[in-house]
Amino acid sequence: MKRFLLTLICSALLAGAAFAQSSSPTGHRASGAAHAARAAHNSHATGDNNEWWKHAVIYEIYPRSFGDTRGRGFGDLNGITKHLDYLQDLGVDAIWISPAYPSPQVDFGYDISDYVNIAPEYGTLADFDRLVAEAKQRHIRIIMDLVLNHTSDKHKWFLESKSSRTNPKRDWYMWHDGKGPDGTQPPSNWQSVFAHSAWEWAPRTKQFYYHMFYKEQPDLNWSNPKVRKAMYDVARFWMDRGVAGFRLDAITTLFEDPNLHDDPVKPGTNEFGDPNIEHKYTDQLPGVHDVLRELRAVINEYPGRVLIGETYLPNVQELAKMYGANNDELQLPMDTQVGFINKLSVPEFRQKINDAETQLNGNMPLFVFDNHDNRRSWDRYGDGSHNDQIARIIATMLLAPHDTALMFQGQELGMQNTDPKRREDVKDPIGRTGWPKEKGRDGERTPMQWNAGKNAGFSMGASTWLPIAPNYKQVNAAVEAKDPNSILNFYKALIRLRRENAALRDGDFALLNESDNNVLSFLRHSSDGKAVVVAMNFTATEQKVSFDLKPKGISATGATVLLSSFAKAGESGDLGNVNLPAYGVYIAEVR
Ligand code: NOJ
């Protein structure tokens, strides 16, 4: 998937409103102080609780790997409900649940066969309602994954569509005649990002259908107003059940060139042995923006709802367009520029974070380093010997700038990839097709590590659908909760700080020491005069840094540590002389 995303980059490109409005603390388990802080966060940080998603921390849950309450070796909805206290304690504002709809599970839920139900193996709509209600008690909102680009080939719409050329649902999907004398050659050279031709021959009606992903995921025809209406009604169905918004899957690929131009071919072949191509005619076509404006109008029917986009784009200018020319499209398109630099380079992070803060027309950036499609950041950024320290740097880059933060289950524990060793063990189909160059996405999807017990506390079953990572006895939520120096406690402290400190929550952002290529530093500065310096040493050697804040209008020269990977909170020091140990993180309030 990682390569899919990069290929695309290169190519072009509670019930009802209740929860979205101010929620009552009835039954809420946190302390009064914590509740007050959360309430302050919601009102102060946003000025308007309908904009709760600004500065929020959103946590992605991959339901198959989060918590198994039935002992079958894979997770379920009740397994999410069971762990809500943990999520509340971590400090998350919302959870995005990867698809839990009925599905043949070819793409583990991203092939949906019924958009208005819950997969029986994951639970029921009643379980879902209970999850929404229990989450609400803990001030956690639920965001659904909405897969608009394609359905499962077992969805009733597609079953009808493929049944005959004259079926009323025929034009809900992308059907075309083939080329060649007998019409059996694909209509164009378009490739699936999951390998080989994007066209699949359907013998019954003797035409091809288009699929950007697996052949079991036929693309919908978004030029058809009936498709649009049906999907907008799906969104209303879930908002009526209390969801706070949607993460829009593969949103840039809704449209294809109606003239079926061949995509430009580039030198070389990809991990599947196919020629490299530029997805010029299948990604980022302008119609996407029309749909996003319509969908935004639909969610605007309900207060406080948010649209998050899966937007792997080549640069910040393209990203800026996803908010809409009149800020009427996505509120939170994912900024994959920052999180997927994939090397610890101060100049590159400086540039990309600053771009997000300055080039998005004042819109809120959404930073993300980890998800279920990419190798974990622990592996991508780690140097093999300082990975835990580097994990704290990643946490800081995610949570200390002026942004909304999107994290993935287990990131807060320092979970790492556990990739399959043999092709026959691979569950993700692209890993079997692309083996050994592409091993698929199993490695980042292994079960959540809750404790040092059986199956890491994930399942009481005899086995689990993907293996438990071998390091689970040390790297797990229970062990880390007790260790004040754990990655988990660093995340918790930073999330709390971000909520409680006005400068870190919604203060301005300004780079510091811009010619230093070893230490990335910036200032957060709130209108009430509070200022916080954030500095991260990207090297394995000690770095001495000095901050002069006069050019920023701040005459103070001292600072008190708020959070650091090496110094105690409360320690005071001189900003002219800060020593950062290898990969050290320093967050201090200017005094
Ligand atoms: C992006 C999702 O994150 C990924 O897991 C899925 O395979 C594709 N879209 C297709 O839905």
Side-chain angles (χ1 to χ4, degrees), residues 1 4 107 110 147 150 194 213 217 247 249-250 310 372-373 441 445:
M1 191 58 174
F4 143 54
D107 192 14
Y110 284 93
V147 183
H150 50 270
F194 286 167
F213 300 93
Q217 295 169 298
R247 174 267 188 189
D249 185 71
E310 189 198 20
H372 65 285
D373 290 327
R441 299 162 291 179
R445 299 173 174 182

Side-chain angles (χ1 to χ4, degrees), residues 292-493:
L292 288 179
R293 275 191 298 276
E294 289 174 9
L295 192 55
R296 178 66 177 274
V298 170
I299 72 146
N300 285 348
E301 295 166 10
Y302 298 73
R305 312 305 157 111
V306 66
L307 290 179
I308 297 172
E310 189 198 20
T311 43
Y312 290 91
L313 295 165
N315 54 52
V316 73
Q317 289 76 23
E318 290 299 313
L319 178 63
K321 292 182 190 160
M322 302 309 290
Y323 292 88
N326 298 308
N327 289 339
D328 51 1
E329 298 185 27
L330 299 171
Q331 290 110 316
L332 294 175
M334 290 179 198
D335 182 337
T336 57
Q337 302 292 303
V338 172
F340 295 94
I341 289 174
N342 294 342
K343 70 175 192 258
L344 221 45
S345 151
V346 169
E348 286 183 57
F349 272 101
R350 179 180 287 132
Q351 168 86 50
K352 300 283 187 188
I353 294 179
N354 199 51
D355 280 353
E357 304 295 350
T358 59
Q359 306 294 309
L360 297 177
N361 307 316
N363 287 301
M364 187 60 46
L366 176 64
F367 288 172
V368 52
F369 283 81
D370 286 84
N371 61 33
H372 65 285
D373 290 327
N374 291 281
R375 293 185 69 71
R376 286 188 175 269
S377 60
W378 197 94
D379 298 83
R380 282 185 288 120
Y381 290 97
D383 67 348
S385 46
H386 302 90
N387 292 40
D388 285 353
Q389 288 102 309
I390 293 170
R392 291 177 180 82
I393 290 186
I394 300 297
T396 308
M397 288 194 289
L398 176 68
L399 292 158
H402 177 262
D403 66 339
T404 294
L406 180 54
M407 54 190 291
F408 178 47
Q409 65 185 52
Q411 178 179 349
E412 74 279 16
L413 304 176
M415 272 180 68
Q416 59 192 73
N417 262 64
T418 304
D419 297 313
K421 300 221 165 28
R422 307 177 313 173
R423 184 174 182 270
E424 56 267 40
D425 296 332
V426 175
K427 295 283 188 301
D428 184 16
I430 49 168
R432 291 199 296 274
T433 314
W435 190 271
K437 285 187 181 158
E438 168 62 73
K439 293 187 173 156
R441 299 162 291 179
D442 293 357
E444 50 266 25
R445 299 173 174 182
T446 59
M448 182 71 176
Q449 293 160 216
W450 293 108
N451 58 46
K454 181 178 177 179
N455 293 330
F458 162 68
S459 166
M460 291 311 288
S463 60
T464 54
W465 81 287
L466 285 175
I468 304 288
N471 66 5
Y472 76 98
K473 293 218 161 142
Q474 300 78 45
V475 178
N476 67 63
V479 163
E480 293 192 36
K482 293 199 197 93
D483 172 4
N485 295 318
S486 65
I487 296 176
L488 174 62
N489 276 319
F490 189 83
Y491 266 91
K492 268 195 215 174

Side-chain angles (χ1 to χ4, degrees), residues 102-119:
S103 161
Q105 304 288 350
V106 172
D107 192 14
F108 298 105
Y110 284 93
D111 47 326
I112 299 171
S113 53
D114 180 358
Y115 282 78
V116 289
N117 216 330
I118 293 294

Side-chain angles (χ1 to χ4, degrees), residues 59-76:
Y59 185 97
E60 180 194 353
I61 291 183
Y62 196 68
R64 206 169 181 80
S65 290
F66 198 63
D68 169 18
T69 60
R70 302 196 211 172
R72 292 168 309 171
F74 58 85
D76 47 51

